Amino acid sequence: MAAPSLLNWRRVSSFTGQVPRARHGHRAVAIRELMIIFGGGNEGIADELHVYNTVTNQWFLPAVRGDIPPGCAAHGFVCDGTRILVFGGMVEYGRYSNELYELQASRWLWKKIKPRPPATGLPPCPRLGHSFSLYGNKCYLFGGLANESEDSNSNVPRYLNDFYELELQHGSGVVGWSIPVTKGVVPSPRESHTAVIYCRKDSGTPKMYIFGGMCGSRLDDLWQLDLETMSWSQPETKGTVPLPRSLHTANVIGNKMYVFGGWVPQTTNNVEASQDSEWRCTSSFSYLNLDTAEWTSLVSDSQEDKKNSRPRPRAGHCAVAIGTRLYFWSGRDGYKKSMNNQVCCKDLWYLDTEKPPAPSQVQVIKATTNSFQVKWDEVPTVEGYLLQLNTDLPYQAASPDAHANLQGVQADLSRQASNNTLPHNMPVSHLSQELLKLEDTGNSTESDHKVRKGIAIKSQSDHKEFERHVPSIPPFALATHVADGSCSVDMRKKNEGAQTSKNVSESYGLDLRTVHPEAAVSSAISGTHTMVPQRIIKTESTNTNGAVVKDETSLTAFSGKSEADEAFVQPVTKGSSAETQDSAAPLSKDTTSKPMTLERKGERQWCDVGIFKSNTALVNQFYLLPKGKQDISKVGNTDAPDYSLLKQQDLVPGTVYRFRIAAINGCGIGPFSKISEFKTCIPGFPGAPCAVRISKNVDCIHLSWEPPASPSGNILEYSAYLAIRTAQVPDNPSQPMFMRIYCGLKTSCVVTAGQLANAHVDYTSRPAIVFRISAKNEKGYGPATQVRWLQERKESSSK
């Protein structure tokens, strides 16, 4: 049965940039959040490459260079990583192509490729309307339409059902064509069909599915090719098979092949015309479950109407899957005989096919006495995030009347208190910069580095005693409390002393982050991350930030058996220029399967913090749901309370709050993340050291900093720590720990080559060596500033 949420179409109307002209016969692929469109025709064949950023809603016209191909339509278009291959298509009326071009999208560099011909037989002839599908390191070409006439002004069509395999080289270039020997009955000749490749998780056998097409009349047959045995077959399907069609689109998301639009035979009173001379565009929408071979109709031809709630009928459009979202753009919706031309659509639509996955755990960036700045990993193609918390403190439920006005989440995601709403402030940059992120060299710029605050480090009066008791594991400090206040940053790098093979600006950089080593259980703020475990010590509450070290002697009583579950790890992440800092957080040994903070039996009711458009939030209040009401996740998938009618409650100092986050898209609210626990600050601890600088000499580096902007008294000492790779945490031998490399009143220290040789290098985003620096006053250690010293990226010999 069709899920109603699947019909929740969205028309994109707020895009900016150089919007391409409407067309049909174009093709599209996706690279991360980018939709890349090439070719097509409408009053001439288009030769531009257009790109749409689905996050910023901006169109780009990148400056391409190299062997730029001529414009073409009904061509093959596939994407392998950040390279795109274009094969064949119509380059002008009656003249088709069999040329192959490669685009390196990270540099917008075109290159004409000359594949080796097959060992037996001829290479593919010029054609249009063929299918060109990628799986692994091979492209599969099937069918199409050739022109038998030697005169391009006359067209003698010949439908094809030949089958070719094109082997690709790694990264760039191709090996050549081959003609596989297949078994079974080959599909009939056709053009303007679709082909997708799907591999079941349990069987591991990839199969290519061909549906529909044109061969004098339109087709509705489904063919399957096992790419391992090269055996053709026609699977028996269940459900209602879509009408025969051509110029439709087919995209695989999960185990479903979604088929939209195309030319279908004209029907009269629901009876198909006896001949295919009458045809029309359709907006019907179906999917085939590729595991069960069952068709499901989501929008049938009989349900079509001219409402503005979904795309109007069209053919020759493009469709691309980004995550679990389908984007549709342009295409033709009819033919005006009086004008002898096609009528093209100019609209862009998307459709969420399933609820979004659970985001990462909430991560604290900064904690104060009555607020948290929190963050979580972005989930692609979502419309917002629902943030919730609960606490053990008593709170008064709101009036039942406050929840009377429920409205759709998707109607207005910004409908909430202004102090709880953060704008979706995604940086808009040139498209080449978007793609260059995919091949980052690891070099940094001064603008990349900012500092944020974190959870403070507790006073530890005698680290040497700890060293004596655990000589095999270098000591380090752990955070236990939060310090209030802000921290400034000096975005400078120094290149002092002799350099070796490369200068510091090329090979190294600073990535400054102020961290709270006891912030919260959480995964990375954004992007990829690695967990850098800290030394295990006893705390009063190992599952909250702000945990208090019982006494100094507890630091010496290390026991792998009794304390193995009290491991503390530090997420180290690298995001965009506005997201280059993160917080340390106590986690369990396995942050993905065994979070430190779990839901408890009979836990308190979850309260909404709000719905946020971006992946960051300032939390200083939360909303009280009416007494007896369940939380929003149980009220419904598409309804949210009107927050203006709900009572708010402030956060209070020294209190533990549990957080969870869920993503929202057109299908509703997805599952919640694992739970994180944070504790608001207790006043009086110093701020984080700031203006951190690193300068490199021949045999050492010089690490310096400035005192905290908010010392909250006299600074008694500073401690600096280095993440090392040699020490081992029980049950986690592959994870590094932090070793203290300096303790004293000076605001600088020297890190020797011997110490650096022992350093752990984080390769999850940009390779970096990680330092931490914290200040101590009469009350204890404050937040630690984390410094990621960017290293030169080493090319891997294997992919």
Side-chain angles (χ1 to χ4, degrees), residues 363 513 515 520 522-525 529-532 569-573 582-587 772 786:
Q363 171 78 47
R513 308 173 184 215
V515 300
S522 153
S523 57
I525 294 175
H529 67 279
T530 186
M531 297 301 177
V532 183
V569 298
Q570 159 64 36
V572 178
T573 67
D582 61 329
S583 301
L587 293 181
R772 285 183 183 172
Q786 179 166 294

PDB file of all heavy atoms in Angstrom, residues 363 513 515 520 522-525 529-532 569-573 582-587 772 786:
ATOM      1  N   GLN A 363      26.193  17.002  20.997  1.00  0.00           N
ATOM      2  CA  GLN A 363      27.538  17.345  21.484  1.00  0.00           C
ATOM      3  C   GLN A 363      27.500  18.749  22.067  1.00  0.00           C
ATOM      4  O   GLN A 363      26.912  19.654  21.480  1.00  0.00           O
ATOM      5  CB  GLN A 363      28.528  17.310  20.328  1.00  0.00           C
ATOM      6  CG  GLN A 363      29.907  17.858  20.649  1.00  0.00           C
ATOM      7  CD  GLN A 363      30.737  16.868  21.431  1.00  0.00           C
ATOM      8  OE1 GLN A 363      30.797  15.710  21.080  1.00  0.00           O
ATOM      9  NE2 GLN A 363      31.377  17.324  22.482  1.00  0.00           N
ATOM     10  N   ARG A 513      40.564  24.485  19.029  1.00  0.00           N
ATOM     11  CA  ARG A 513      39.251  24.192  19.558  1.00  0.00           C
ATOM     12  C   ARG A 513      39.334  24.264  21.072  1.00  0.00           C
ATOM     13  O   ARG A 513      40.197  23.652  21.670  1.00  0.00           O
ATOM     14  CB  ARG A 513      38.787  22.793  19.164  1.00  0.00           C
ATOM     15  CG  ARG A 513      38.900  22.560  17.675  1.00  0.00           C
ATOM     16  CD  ARG A 513      38.585  21.134  17.381  1.00  0.00           C
ATOM     17  NE  ARG A 513      38.795  20.894  15.954  1.00  0.00           N
ATOM     18  CZ  ARG A 513      38.078  20.093  15.218  1.00  0.00           C
ATOM     19  NH1 ARG A 513      37.088  19.444  15.738  1.00  0.00           N
ATOM     20  NH2 ARG A 513      38.334  19.917  13.943  1.00  0.00           N
ATOM     21  N   VAL A 515      37.891  22.931  24.316  1.00  0.00           N
ATOM     22  CA  VAL A 515      37.092  21.745  24.604  1.00  0.00           C
ATOM     23  C   VAL A 515      36.828  21.644  26.088  1.00  0.00           C
ATOM     24  O   VAL A 515      37.580  22.131  26.906  1.00  0.00           O
ATOM     25  CB  VAL A 515      37.811  20.470  24.136  1.00  0.00           C
ATOM     26  CG1 VAL A 515      38.062  20.516  22.656  1.00  0.00           C
ATOM     27  CG2 VAL A 515      39.106  20.276  24.877  1.00  0.00           C
ATOM     28  N   ALA A 520      30.086  15.750  27.400  1.00  0.00           N
ATOM     29  CA  ALA A 520      28.905  14.912  27.343  1.00  0.00           C
ATOM     30  C   ALA A 520      29.155  13.729  26.454  1.00  0.00           C
ATOM     31  O   ALA A 520      30.055  13.736  25.658  1.00  0.00           O
ATOM     32  CB  ALA A 520      27.736  15.705  26.773  1.00  0.00           C
ATOM     33  N   SER A 522      28.602  11.926  23.244  1.00  0.00           N
ATOM     34  CA  SER A 522      28.219  12.516  21.977  1.00  0.00           C
ATOM     35  C   SER A 522      29.124  12.011  20.898  1.00  0.00           C
ATOM     36  O   SER A 522      30.242  11.614  21.137  1.00  0.00           O
ATOM     37  CB  SER A 522      28.326  14.029  22.069  1.00  0.00           C
ATOM     38  OG  SER A 522      28.564  14.583  20.834  1.00  0.00           O
ATOM     39  N   SER A 523      28.629  12.042  19.667  1.00  0.00           N
ATOM     40  CA  SER A 523      29.514  11.838  18.542  1.00  0.00           C
ATOM     41  C   SER A 523      29.974  13.184  18.068  1.00  0.00           C
ATOM     42  O   SER A 523      29.769  14.181  18.731  1.00  0.00           O
ATOM     43  CB  SER A 523      28.803  11.067  17.435  1.00  0.00           C
ATOM     44  OG  SER A 523      27.660  11.743  17.049  1.00  0.00           O
ATOM     45  N   ALA A 524      30.615  13.243  16.888  1.00  0.00           N
ATOM     46  CA  ALA A 524      31.267  14.462  16.462  1.00  0.00           C
ATOM     47  C   ALA A 524      30.275  15.566  16.206  1.00  0.00           C
ATOM     48  O   ALA A 524      29.113  15.341  15.948  1.00  0.00           O
ATOM     49  CB  ALA A 524      32.068  14.201  15.213  1.00  0.00           C
ATOM     50  N   ILE A 525      30.778  16.815  16.244  1.00  0.00           N
ATOM     51  CA  ILE A 525      29.938  17.966  15.954  1.00  0.00           C
ATOM     52  C   ILE A 525      29.485  17.931  14.519  1.00  0.00           C
ATOM     53  O   ILE A 525      28.314  18.084  14.214  1.00  0.00           O
ATOM     54  CB  ILE A 525      30.717  19.257  16.224  1.00  0.00           C
ATOM     55  CG1 ILE A 525      31.010  19.371  17.724  1.00  0.00           C
ATOM     56  CG2 ILE A 525      29.931  20.458  15.766  1.00  0.00           C
ATOM     57  CD1 ILE A 525      31.854  20.529  18.056  1.00  0.00           C
ATOM     58  N   HIS A 529      34.759  11.855  12.353  1.00  0.00           N
ATOM     59  CA  HIS A 529      35.396  12.074  13.639  1.00  0.00           C
ATOM     60  C   HIS A 529      36.139  10.828  14.068  1.00  0.00           C
ATOM     61  O   HIS A 529      35.923   9.741  13.572  1.00  0.00           O
ATOM     62  CB  HIS A 529      34.353  12.456  14.688  1.00  0.00           C
ATOM     63  CG  HIS A 529      33.408  11.346  15.001  1.00  0.00           C
ATOM     64  ND1 HIS A 529      32.330  11.056  14.196  1.00  0.00           N
ATOM     65  CD2 HIS A 529      33.393  10.449  16.017  1.00  0.00           C
ATOM     66  CE1 HIS A 529      31.679  10.034  14.703  1.00  0.00           C
ATOM     67  NE2 HIS A 529      32.294   9.642  15.803  1.00  0.00           N
ATOM     68  N   THR A 530      37.009  11.044  15.036  1.00  0.00           N
ATOM     69  CA  THR A 530      37.659   9.913  15.679  1.00  0.00           C
ATOM     70  C   THR A 530      37.564  10.130  17.167  1.00  0.00           C
ATOM     71  O   THR A 530      37.491  11.251  17.636  1.00  0.00           O
ATOM     72  CB  THR A 530      39.133   9.813  15.261  1.00  0.00           C
ATOM     73  OG1 THR A 530      39.681   8.615  15.800  1.00  0.00           O
ATOM     74  CG2 THR A 530      39.956  10.972  15.766  1.00  0.00           C
ATOM     75  N   MET A 531      37.537   9.069  17.921  1.00  0.00           N
ATOM     76  CA  MET A 531      37.444   9.182  19.359  1.00  0.00           C
ATOM     77  C   MET A 531      38.821   9.012  19.961  1.00  0.00           C
ATOM     78  O   MET A 531      39.483   8.007  19.730  1.00  0.00           O
ATOM     79  CB  MET A 531      36.500   8.116  19.913  1.00  0.00           C
ATOM     80  CG  MET A 531      35.066   8.280  19.416  1.00  0.00           C
ATOM     81  SD  MET A 531      34.405   9.874  19.863  1.00  0.00           S
ATOM     82  CE  MET A 531      32.810   9.781  19.084  1.00  0.00           C
ATOM     83  N   VAL A 532      39.256   9.999  20.722  1.00  0.00           N
ATOM     84  CA  VAL A 532      40.575   9.973  21.337  1.00  0.00           C
ATOM     85  C   VAL A 532      40.381   9.792  22.833  1.00  0.00           C
ATOM     86  O   VAL A 532      39.994  10.734  23.520  1.00  0.00           O
ATOM     87  CB  VAL A 532      41.335  11.286  21.056  1.00  0.00           C
ATOM     88  CG1 VAL A 532      42.728  11.217  21.649  1.00  0.00           C
ATOM     89  CG2 VAL A 532      41.388  11.543  19.571  1.00  0.00           C
ATOM     90  N   VAL A 569      36.417   9.605  26.351  1.00  0.00           N
ATOM     91  CA  VAL A 569      36.972   9.796  25.020  1.00  0.00           C
ATOM     92  C   VAL A 569      36.679  11.190  24.538  1.00  0.00           C
ATOM     93  O   VAL A 569      35.746  11.838  24.978  1.00  0.00           O
ATOM     94  CB  VAL A 569      36.413   8.772  24.012  1.00  0.00           C
ATOM     95  CG1 VAL A 569      36.775   7.382  24.423  1.00  0.00           C
ATOM     96  CG2 VAL A 569      34.931   8.921  23.860  1.00  0.00           C
ATOM     97  N   GLN A 570      37.493  11.616  23.601  1.00  0.00           N
ATOM     98  CA  GLN A 570      37.399  12.964  23.046  1.00  0.00           C
ATOM     99  C   GLN A 570      37.064  12.894  21.571  1.00  0.00           C
ATOM    100  O   GLN A 570      37.867  12.416  20.782  1.00  0.00           O
ATOM    101  CB  GLN A 570      38.727  13.692  23.229  1.00  0.00           C
ATOM    102  CG  GLN A 570      38.935  14.854  22.296  1.00  0.00           C
ATOM    103  CD  GLN A 570      37.922  15.930  22.531  1.00  0.00           C
ATOM    104  OE1 GLN A 570      37.540  16.152  23.653  1.00  0.00           O
ATOM    105  NE2 GLN A 570      37.468  16.593  21.487  1.00  0.00           N
ATOM    106  N   PRO A 571      35.884  13.345  21.147  1.00  0.00           N
ATOM    107  CA  PRO A 571      35.626  13.413  19.709  1.00  0.00           C
ATOM    108  C   PRO A 571      36.458  14.511  19.082  1.00  0.00           C
ATOM    109  O   PRO A 571      36.459  15.632  19.559  1.00  0.00           O
ATOM    110  CB  PRO A 571      34.136  13.760  19.612  1.00  0.00           C
ATOM    111  CG  PRO A 571      33.592  13.576  21.000  1.00  0.00           C
ATOM    112  CD  PRO A 571      34.745  13.772  21.920  1.00  0.00           C
ATOM    113  N   VAL A 572      37.183  14.187  18.034  1.00  0.00           N
ATOM    114  CA  VAL A 572      37.986  15.168  17.326  1.00  0.00           C
ATOM    115  C   VAL A 572      37.422  15.299  15.935  1.00  0.00           C
ATOM    116  O   VAL A 572      37.420  14.352  15.174  1.00  0.00           O
ATOM    117  CB  VAL A 572      39.452  14.727  17.249  1.00  0.00           C
ATOM    118  CG1 VAL A 572      40.266  15.728  16.468  1.00  0.00           C
ATOM    119  CG2 VAL A 572      40.013  14.593  18.648  1.00  0.00           C
ATOM    120  N   THR A 573      36.904  16.463  15.596  1.00  0.00           N
ATOM    121  CA  THR A 573      36.228  16.618  14.323  1.00  0.00           C
ATOM    122  C   THR A 573      36.759  17.822  13.584  1.00  0.00           C
ATOM    123  O   THR A 573      37.412  18.682  14.135  1.00  0.00           O
ATOM    124  CB  THR A 573      34.721  16.823  14.517  1.00  0.00           C
ATOM    125  OG1 THR A 573      34.537  18.082  15.167  1.00  0.00           O
ATOM    126  CG2 THR A 573      34.113  15.726  15.361  1.00  0.00           C
ATOM    127  N   ASP A 582      35.439  21.659  18.750  1.00  0.00           N
ATOM    128  CA  ASP A 582      34.585  20.659  19.326  1.00  0.00           C
ATOM    129  C   ASP A 582      34.899  20.517  20.794  1.00  0.00           C
ATOM    130  O   ASP A 582      35.780  21.152  21.323  1.00  0.00           O
ATOM    131  CB  ASP A 582      34.723  19.325  18.602  1.00  0.00           C
ATOM    132  CG  ASP A 582      36.126  18.780  18.691  1.00  0.00           C
ATOM    133  OD1 ASP A 582      37.052  19.604  18.752  1.00  0.00           O
ATOM    134  OD2 ASP A 582      36.286  17.558  18.694  1.00  0.00           O
ATOM    135  N   SER A 583      34.160  19.665  21.467  1.00  0.00           N
ATOM    136  CA  SER A 583      34.293  19.504  22.897  1.00  0.00           C
ATOM    137  C   SER A 583      34.687  18.092  23.241  1.00  0.00           C
ATOM    138  O   SER A 583      34.254  17.147  22.613  1.00  0.00           O
ATOM    139  CB  SER A 583      32.963  19.837  23.584  1.00  0.00           C
ATOM    140  OG  SER A 583      32.583  21.154  23.291  1.00  0.00           O
ATOM    141  N   ALA A 584      35.477  17.978  24.269  1.00  0.00           N
ATOM    142  CA  ALA A 584      35.761  16.653  24.782  1.00  0.00           C
ATOM    143  C   ALA A 584      34.540  16.146  25.501  1.00  0.00           C
ATOM    144  O   ALA A 584      33.755  16.903  26.029  1.00  0.00           O
ATOM    145  CB  ALA A 584      36.946  16.716  25.728  1.00  0.00           C
ATOM    146  N   ALA A 585      34.391  14.843  25.543  1.00  0.00           N
ATOM    147  CA  ALA A 585      33.200  14.297  26.144  1.00  0.00           C
ATOM    148  C   ALA A 585      33.475  12.936  26.731  1.00  0.00           C
ATOM    149  O   ALA A 585      34.158  12.128  26.139  1.00  0.00           O
ATOM    150  CB  ALA A 585      32.099  14.182  25.104  1.00  0.00           C
ATOM    151  N   PRO A 586      32.925  12.646  27.904  1.00  0.00           N
ATOM    152  CA  PRO A 586      33.057  11.299  28.432  1.00  0.00           C
ATOM    153  C   PRO A 586      32.124  10.360  27.698  1.00  0.00           C
ATOM    154  O   PRO A 586      30.946  10.629  27.546  1.00  0.00           O
ATOM    155  CB  PRO A 586      32.648  11.446  29.893  1.00  0.00           C
ATOM    156  CG  PRO A 586      31.764  12.635  29.911  1.00  0.00           C
ATOM    157  CD  PRO A 586      32.207  13.526  28.811  1.00  0.00           C
ATOM    158  N   LEU A 587      32.644   9.256  27.243  1.00  0.00           N
ATOM    159  CA  LEU A 587      31.846   8.270  26.534  1.00  0.00           C
ATOM    160  C   LEU A 587      32.190   6.892  27.056  1.00  0.00           C
ATOM    161  O   LEU A 587      33.205   6.679  27.696  1.00  0.00           O
ATOM    162  CB  LEU A 587      32.135   8.300  25.022  1.00  0.00           C
ATOM    163  CG  LEU A 587      31.713   9.540  24.266  1.00  0.00           C
ATOM    164  CD1 LEU A 587      32.078   9.343  22.812  1.00  0.00           C
ATOM    165  CD2 LEU A 587      30.237   9.773  24.393  1.00  0.00           C
ATOM    166  N   ARG A 772      46.071  19.802  24.134  1.00  0.00           N
ATOM    167  CA  ARG A 772      45.103  20.476  24.998  1.00  0.00           C
ATOM    168  C   ARG A 772      45.843  21.332  26.008  1.00  0.00           C
ATOM    169  O   ARG A 772      46.878  20.914  26.536  1.00  0.00           O
ATOM    170  CB  ARG A 772      44.221  19.472  25.741  1.00  0.00           C
ATOM    171  CG  ARG A 772      43.161  18.828  24.882  1.00  0.00           C
ATOM    172  CD  ARG A 772      42.305  17.917  25.729  1.00  0.00           C
ATOM    173  NE  ARG A 772      41.323  17.238  24.921  1.00  0.00           N
ATOM    174  CZ  ARG A 772      40.541  16.270  25.376  1.00  0.00           C
ATOM    175  NH1 ARG A 772      40.665  15.881  26.634  1.00  0.00           N
ATOM    176  NH2 ARG A 772      39.663  15.698  24.588  1.00  0.00           N
ATOM    177  N   GLN A 786      41.543  22.981  22.855  1.00  0.00           N
ATOM    178  CA  GLN A 786      42.124  21.909  22.032  1.00  0.00           C
ATOM    179  C   GLN A 786      42.736  22.494  20.769  1.00  0.00           C
ATOM    180  O   GLN A 786      42.136  23.325  20.103  1.00  0.00           O
ATOM    181  CB  GLN A 786      41.056  20.887  21.646  1.00  0.00           C
ATOM    182  CG  GLN A 786      41.613  19.776  20.771  1.00  0.00           C
ATOM    183  CD  GLN A 786      40.659  18.620  20.696  1.00  0.00           C
ATOM    184  OE1 GLN A 786      40.411  17.944  21.693  1.00  0.00           O
ATOM    185  NE2 GLN A 786      40.100  18.378  19.529  1.00  0.00           N
TER     186      GLN A 786
END
